[in-house]
Amino acid sequence: MKILLVGSGGREHTLAWKLKQSNKCEALFIAPGNAGTALTGTNLDVQINDFEGLSAACLQHSIEMVIVGPEEPLVKGITDFFKNDPNTAHIHIIGPSGEAAQLEGSKAFAKAFMKKYDIPTAAYEKFNEENYTEGVEYIRSHSLPIVLKADGLAAGKGVVICNSHLEALAEFELMVLRSKFGEAGRRVIVEEFLQGIEMSVFVLTDGKDYVLLPEAKDYKKIGEGDKGLNTGGMGAVSPVPFFDEELKKKITEKIIKPTIAGLQKEQLDYKGFVFIGLIVENNEAKVIEYNCRLGDPETEVVIPRLQNDLVDLLLATSQGRINEIEIDTDPSTAVAVVAVSGGYPGNYEKGKVIEGLDSVEIPGSFVFHSGTKKNKEEIVTNGGRVLVVTSYGENIQEAAEQSTYLLEQLYFEDIYFRSDIGFEFTNNG
Ligand code: AMP
Ligand code: GLY
């Protein structure tokens, strides 16, 4: 099978690495990819939202399956675009329709979906310019902290947690009246703050049935000890030690099954990954978000633990046969540590030469590329998150130490990474 993977991050390098292990993968193209995916397949110079360009590339290379990594093209309707064009309608496309992708694309849509299907989530109300004064009253009488969420996609920045009413009112005004997060962000969800520990589950569904992939916990803060600004993710672990059989059963019955049943009842066309972000307190989980794709860096620990052939799995998804699949998981622990450019998540420079990539090889560790590109014979930085090292281990401490050790052998100017990923589950925590 000839496959096109859309995206250019560590998630896509990991998927490319896994797809390449399948003997059913005849040829692999990545659009636009990075310097890492170029080692695994053929990068195409087409951007993720250029649907015409992607469609033309599919015809040129006789592509039979398209896997969409990031959310933006999904929310913009790439799946519908391919399905509605007779030239590309035959291609297996992994990712939900634009309407179904609203589970991630609109917080208001996701909240209404959860309410309708009785899926546990934080209590909330929805406001815009029309009921602005009601919103002000609601915020004034809300307990602290208060969580404000912009409705539309905001590249991970649309959530603000406010510790005072004054701050919440100021943010609310900025969002609704001054379009801080753009037009879609003028609709705001005001919700209850949930205490507890975050983790995520990943489901692959054909719209009727599903399989549960390995779970993960990511580390969003830039600083060690979970301090400082939020990032796209500085590391991840899988399995999650407190995700025991009892919690798994509760999440399956109260969250996963109603979610899949809800998709079907709403007749949402969903063939792809559902990433369910959870907060767990006292062994009870509530949903904080749905994403219509895999996470990054969660993919870098989830996919290495998956032992099934990924092409088989995705083909079964596309053909509505996911009920025939049984997931086979590697019992090892995987820990991913992300190396970022100095200054990230604020301003940072690109184009720094990365050294050590050819000379470092440790069994049980993998270097996945995120923001990298080839510049003549060198590989240089090309983003905030640059490299992701995943290691297997007997436990979190061992795997995390191995990933950190490998990263210490790599260098680019102002490289930074956290050396405490998984800290609360180790002797250092
Ligand atoms: P989201 O974009 O909805 O995933 O939110 C981004 C981050 O904000 C989450 O990963 C949580 O750390 C935090 N967050 C979102 N909603 C809540 C909530 N209701 N209570 C506590 N923290 C939250
Ligand atoms: N690591 C969080 C995300 O991919 O959304």
Side-chain angles (χ1 to χ4, degrees):
M1 174 155 295
K2 299 193 176 75
I3 301 174
L4 172 68
L5 177 60
V6 178
S8 63
R11 168 181 50 213
E12 285 73 28
H13 188 191
T14 312
L15 288 170
W17 166 84
K18 179 73 178 166
L19 289 165
K20 219 33 203 192
Q21 290 166 27
S22 168
N23 55 19
K24 301 194 176 75
C25 179
E26 215 180 301
L28 178 62
F29 297 88
I30 310 95
N34 59 35
T37 62
L39 303 171
T40 323
T42 307
N43 285 352
L44 301 176
D45 187 17
V46 186
Q47 298 307 307
I48 60 169
N49 293 317
D50 177 4
F51 298 174
E52 300 277 353
L54 291 170
S55 158
C58 284
L59 299 180
Q60 186 189 344
H61 298 287
S62 310
I63 297 295
E64 298 156 275
M65 178 186 280
V66 174
I67 303 159
V68 186
E71 64 278 14
E72 217 187 315
L74 291 168
V75 172
K76 288 184 172 155
I78 189 170
T79 302
D80 314 84
F81 183 91
F82 270 69
K83 291 277 169 227
N84 293 338
D85 180 344
N87 292 318
T88 50
H90 64 283
I91 297 176
H92 299 286
I93 178 154
I94 304 300
S97 66
E99 200 189 355
Q102 291 301 303
L103 270 191
E104 175 165 3
S106 163
K107 302 270 186 205
F109 180 95
K111 291 299 263 189
F113 178 88
M114 286 187 262
K115 200 174 204 173
K116 184 163 178 188
Y117 293 99
D118 210 13
I119 296 165
T121 186
Y124 78 103
E125 286 296 334
K126 184 175 83 175
F127 300 100
N128 59 19
E129 202 165 10
E130 271 146 43
N131 59 354
Y132 184 77
T133 38
E134 278 169 53
V136 169
E137 281 314 308
Y138 186 78
I139 289 172
R140 281 207 178 114
S141 57
H142 200 289
S143 59
L144 293 173
I146 305 170
V147 183
L148 301 186
K149 297 187 170 182
D151 185 39
L153 283 186
K157 296 196 178 72
V159 176
V160 188
I161 297 173
C162 304
N163 289 307
S164 77
H165 291 97
L166 216 57
E167 184 193 353
L169 290 169
E171 273 299 333
F172 187 61
E173 184 184 326
L174 283 174
M175 285 183 178
V176 180
L177 301 182
R178 302 188 197 282
S179 316
K180 179 178 175 184
F181 295 114
E183 204 43 43
R186 298 182 69 184
R187 288 188 298 274
V188 172
I189 299 291
V190 180
E191 82 175 22
E192 161 203 21
F193 180 83
L194 299 176
Q195 290 291 352
I197 184 159
E198 283 183 51
M199 64 165 289
S200 305
V201 293
F202 304 89
V203 164
L204 181 61
T205 182
D206 58 11
K208 307 190 299 284
D209 297 294
Y210 72 92
V211 289
L212 181 62
L213 304 176
E215 75 285 359
K217 178 179 191 308
D218 84 333
Y219 292 77
K220 289 201 174 73
K221 302 283 184 192
I222 186 75
E224 298 198 342
D226 284 344
K227 305 256 164 47
L229 294 174
N230 260 331
T231 70
M234 296 297 293
V237 304
S238 179
V240 176
F242 61 84
F243 186 69
D244 55 17
E245 280 306 314
E246 189 195 341
L247 181 59
K248 183 173 170 179
K249 190 155 179 258
K250 280 189 199 164
I251 291 173
T252 301
E253 296 304 322
K254 294 184 183 171
I255 296 173
I256 299 174
K257 286 186 179 169
T259 298
I260 303 302
L263 291 175
Q264 212 174 353
K265 285 222 182 78
E266 297 297 310
Q267 296 186 321
L268 292 168
D269 179 13
Y270 206 121
K271 289 184 166 48
F273 297 100
V274 195
F275 161 164
I276 311 179
L278 304 164
I279 287 193
V280 179
E281 189 187 16
N282 299 328
N283 228 31
E284 291 291 338
K286 288 186 178 169
V287 177
I288 41 171
E289 63 169 345
Y290 286 111
N291 293 315
C292 59
R293 53 171 172 92
L294 285 174
D296 197 350
E298 290 89 337
T299 303
E300 288 88 313
V301 292
V302 169
I303 292 296
R305 293 191 61 227
L306 177 72
Q307 290 184 319
N308 300 64
D309 180 307
L310 186 55
V311 178
D312 276 345
L313 214 59
L314 297 178
L315 199 56
T317 304
S318 173
Q319 294 174 333
R321 300 185 284 103
I322 199 87
N323 61 336
E324 294 173 10
I325 300 280
E326 226 172 278
I327 292 296
D328 191 6
T329 304
D330 182 334
S332 307
T333 292
V335 175
V337 180
V338 183
V340 303
S341 301
Y344 174 83
N347 294 334
Y348 55 84
E349 290 177 16
K350 295 182 184 176
K352 309 286 185 195
V353 177
I354 305 172
E355 291 168 38
L357 286 169
D358 288 334
S359 49
V360 183
E361 206 163 304
I362 301 178
S365 289
F366 309 95
V367 180
F368 296 118
H369 290 225
S370 203
T372 68
K373 72 170 186 187
K374 200 138 189 232
N375 187 6
K376 298 192 185 106
E377 287 316 298
E378 292 173 324
I379 293 180
V380 299
T381 67
N382 191 38
R385 295 190 290 171
V386 177
L387 299 168
V388 187
V389 173
T390 297
S391 303
Y392 295 115
E394 285 280 314
N395 53 46
I396 289 180
Q397 178 141 359
E398 194 185 294
E401 279 172 6
Q402 178 97 331
S403 287
T404 311
Y405 172 76
L406 198 156
L407 273 171
E408 282 162 357
Q409 324 297 310
L410 301 175
Y411 176 79
F412 55 85
E413 196 184 313
D414 292 333
I415 184 173
Y416 168 76
F417 53 88
R418 280 180 60 171
S419 46
D420 72 335
I421 298 303
F423 69 95
E424 69 273 60
F425 307 118
T426 69
N427 301 335
N428 313 327

